[in-house]
């Protein structure tokens, strides 16, 4: 496939903070690059530092954030870029708007429960603070998360290892005709894309855990 023949699309990861969106997005980025595809990531936390700087976490601001991400994803997708978005995107309606705008839209529900994340994956201690009422407006605790009713794919990160989730995404992309090869190509230590909020090691690789 030459570059000009690449068919653009958007993989849209949605789920609670700590569910695994950036982790899988980062792995998918390297897989798509290994296939010679043009790829970009619009990560929720990173977007909030530039494109959506100044926006807060009210429903209105969250929706504005999602529409901005969708707008950029639409431009990229229609220019043949494999676009990966990973904002929490808690509201169904905003995700539906993104789907309408983008067209070639693969919605992936990255699922883990609040209990699982709070107990086993909460290094910043945000869930404990939210559960104790010390911070408010936290998705899944005292702010809504509307799970997708009809996503292209659900990843249960409470039972899947990250690489299994990655395999499931690649298989779905192959089924939908967006990639030709769904075998995992990039193993072991991965260079950090610089496009997600995952931690970076001194050598510029993706750090384990959060
Ligand atoms: N199958 C899986 N896929 C992805 N992450 C997993 C999986 N199983 C366990 N994890 C762990 O869950 C954590 C997910 O963190 P990550 O930063 O990817 O979440 P996030 O959804 O991007 O959160 P945020 O919305 O706060 O950015 C990591 O510590 C990761 O190792
Ligand atoms: Mg993230």
């Amino acid at each position: 496939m030459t570059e000009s023949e690449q068919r653009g699309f958007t993989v849209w990861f949605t789920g609670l903070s700590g569910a695994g969106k950036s982790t899988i997005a980062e792995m998918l980025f390297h897989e798509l690059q290994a296939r010679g595809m043009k790829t970009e990531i619009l990560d929720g936390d990173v977007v909030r530092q530039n494109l959506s700087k100044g926006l807060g976490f009210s429903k209105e601001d969250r929706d504005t954030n999602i529409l901005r991400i969708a707008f950029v994803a639409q431009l990229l997708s229609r220019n043949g870029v494999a676009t990966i978005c990973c904002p929490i995107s808690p509201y169904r309606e905003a995700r539906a708007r993104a789907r309408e705008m983008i067209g070639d839209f693969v919605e992936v529900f990255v699922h883990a429960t609040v209990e699982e994340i709070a107990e086993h994956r909460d290094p910043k201690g945000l869930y404990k603070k939210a559960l104790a009422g010390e911070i408010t407006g936290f998705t899944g605790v005292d702010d809504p998360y509307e799970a997708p009713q009809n996503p292209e794919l659900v990843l249960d990160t409470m039972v899947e290892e990250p690489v299994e989730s990655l395999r499931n995404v690649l298989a779905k992309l192959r089924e939908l005709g967006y990639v030709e090869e769904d075998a995992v190509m990039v193993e072991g230590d991965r260079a950090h894309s610089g496009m997600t909020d995952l931690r970076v090691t001194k050598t510029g690789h993706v750090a384990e855990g959060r």
Side-chain angles (χ1 to χ4, degrees), residues 162-180:
V163 71
E164 295 178 271
S165 297
L166 172 67
R167 271 192 213 111
N168 290 334
V169 175
L170 289 169
K172 178 55 69 175
L173 292 181
R174 178 159 177 226
E175 183 190 315
L176 295 171
Y178 293 119
V179 301
E180 284 165 14

Side-chain angles (χ1 to χ4, degrees), residues 9-13 21-35 37 39-41 82-85 106 108 162 165-171 173 179 186 190:
F9 59 94
T10 291
V11 181
W12 190 284
F13 292 106
K21 302 180 298 297
S22 298
T23 300
I24 306 163
E26 179 81 35
M27 296 171 91
L28 178 62
F29 173 83
H30 294 289
E31 288 297 323
L32 297 174
Q33 281 213 321
R35 287 160 178 75
M37 301 171 88
T39 309
E40 292 282 351
I41 306 179
T83 309
I84 303 167
C85 300
V106 184
V108 181
S165 297
L166 172 67
R167 271 192 213 111
N168 290 334
V169 175
L170 289 169
L173 292 181
V179 301
V186 184
R190 282 162 298 119

Side-chain angles (χ1 to χ4, degrees), residues 10 12-15 21 42-45 47-48 51-53 55-74 83 85-102 105 107 139 144-146:
T10 291
W12 190 284
F13 292 106
T14 173
K21 302 180 298 297
L42 294 161
D43 193 14
D45 278 14
V47 166
R48 280 184 172 278
L51 184 64
S52 288
K53 197 171 183 144
L55 291 183
F57 293 89
S58 64
K59 177 169 191 306
E60 194 187 357
D61 278 8
R62 286 178 187 270
D63 284 348
T64 301
N65 180 45
I66 294 315
L67 290 180
R68 288 183 190 176
I69 293 173
F71 177 75
V72 178
Q74 175 197 23
T83 309
C85 300
C86 33
I88 294 172
S89 39
Y91 294 108
R92 213 168 270 148
E93 196 189 326
R95 293 193 306 265
R97 294 269 307 273
R99 179 186 289 274
E100 268 168 42
M101 286 163 72
I102 295 165
F105 187 83
E107 187 174 9
T139 299
Y145 179 78
E146 300 173 356

Side-chain angles (χ1 to χ4, degrees), residues 85-157:
C85 300
C86 33
I88 294 172
S89 39
Y91 294 108
R92 213 168 270 148
E93 196 189 326
R95 293 193 306 265
R97 294 269 307 273
R99 179 186 289 274
E100 268 168 42
M101 286 163 72
I102 295 165
D104 285 282
F105 187 83
V106 184
E107 187 174 9
V108 181
F109 176 31
V110 185
H111 175 64
T113 59
V114 167
E115 292 69 30
E116 164 79 13
I117 303 170
E119 268 178 46
H120 302 293
R121 309 182 190 175
D122 191 20
K124 299 178 200 160
L126 288 177
Y127 277 90
K128 279 175 194 77
K129 281 192 184 147
L131 288 165
E134 289 164 27
I135 46 177
T136 56
F138 198 83
T139 299
V141 178
D142 65 340
D143 220 50
Y145 179 78
E146 300 173 356
Q149 288 168 321
N150 217 352
E152 274 69 21
L153 186 64
V154 179
L155 303 173
D156 184 348
T157 68

